[in-house]
């Protein structure tokens, strides 16, 4: 049986922030592809100092099937291994928030959740992960 990957993801760096922005329904094959893309970006581009990972859910219907969870765990473990300091989740679906909170705690990464771009970007600027909160807000808004 061929398992076709479902879902999309945008992965990019902004200052000391890895932005991971999944979209759509995500199956195991899609999650494996996402995990590989995230880990490759971390290995090749992570700053030498601590950084933060932001999961930006743009769509209420972005959900993962249970066979995808192990790949989330793999990408979070990779994040921790390469000096990720915390996970921040912004989105509209409480299922995603709960899933990331559970798995972040499982690997030992501090977890924060936000309901709006302003509170997230101000939080990251206050902690010196971004130079300008407005620029991060604009970048996230363009994704």
């Amino acid at each position: 049986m061929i398992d076709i990957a479902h879902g999309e993801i945008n992965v990019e760096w902004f200052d000391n922030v890895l932005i991971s922005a999944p979209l759509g329904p995500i199956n195991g094959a899609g999650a494996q592809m996402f995990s590989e893309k995230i880990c490759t970006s971390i290995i090749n581009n992570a700053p030498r100092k601590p950084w933060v990972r932001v999961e930006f859910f743009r769509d209420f219907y972005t959900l993962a099937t249970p066979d995808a969870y192990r790949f989330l765990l793999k990408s979070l473990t990779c994040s921790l291994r390469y000096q990720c300091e915390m996970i921040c989740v912004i989105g509209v679906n409480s299922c995603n928030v709960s899933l990331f909170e559970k798995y972040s705690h499982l690997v030992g990464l501090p977890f924060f959740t936000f309901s709006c771009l302003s509170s997230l970007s101000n939080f990251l600027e206050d902690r010196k992960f971004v130079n300008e909160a407005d620029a991060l807000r604009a970048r996230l808004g363009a994704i």
Side-chain angles (χ1 to χ4, degrees):
M1 180 178 171
I2 298 174
D3 199 11
I4 298 172
H6 292 179
E8 300 173 24
I9 192 163
N10 182 26
V11 177
E12 63 183 72
W13 288 90
F14 184 92
D15 291 338
N16 291 326
V17 178
L18 173 63
I19 302 168
S20 168
L23 184 65
I26 303 162
N27 65 354
Q32 181 177 12
M33 180 184 69
F34 294 3
S35 178
E36 290 169 1
K37 188 172 185 178
I38 290 166
C39 292
T40 297
S41 184
I42 291 168
I43 292 165
N44 293 333
N45 303 307
R48 297 206 189 291
K49 57 186 174 180
W51 51 276
V52 63
R53 178 170 162 182
V54 170
E55 290 295 320
F56 179 35
F57 291 97
R58 304 165 279 165
D59 177 12
F60 179 82
Y61 299 103
T62 298
L63 292 170
T65 56
D67 61 337
Y69 298 171
R70 67 187 170 123
F71 298 108
L72 169 59
L73 188 61
K74 181 179 177 183
S75 75
L76 290 172
T77 301
C78 179
S79 297
L80 180 65
R81 185 178 311 127
Y82 285 87
Q83 296 187 6
C84 180
E85 193 166 290
M86 70 181 86
I87 300 293
C88 296
V89 173
I90 183 165
V92 295
N93 188 314
S94 62
C95 292
N96 291 327
V97 172
S98 296
L99 181 66
F100 267 86
E101 182 174 24
K102 177 182 176 181
Y103 281 88
S104 294
H105 289 305
L106 189 63
V107 300
L109 278 167
F111 173 85
F112 297 89
T113 184
F114 300 88
S115 58
C116 69
L117 294 177
S118 292
S119 59
L120 168 68
S121 56
N122 290 337
F123 175 84
L124 295 176
E125 182 182 47
D126 290 345
R127 283 154 185 81
K128 310 289 187 229
F129 287 105
V130 296
N131 295 320
E132 294 182 31
D134 291 338
L136 176 61
R137 262 192 303 283
R139 182 65 213 125
L140 289 169
I143 293 176

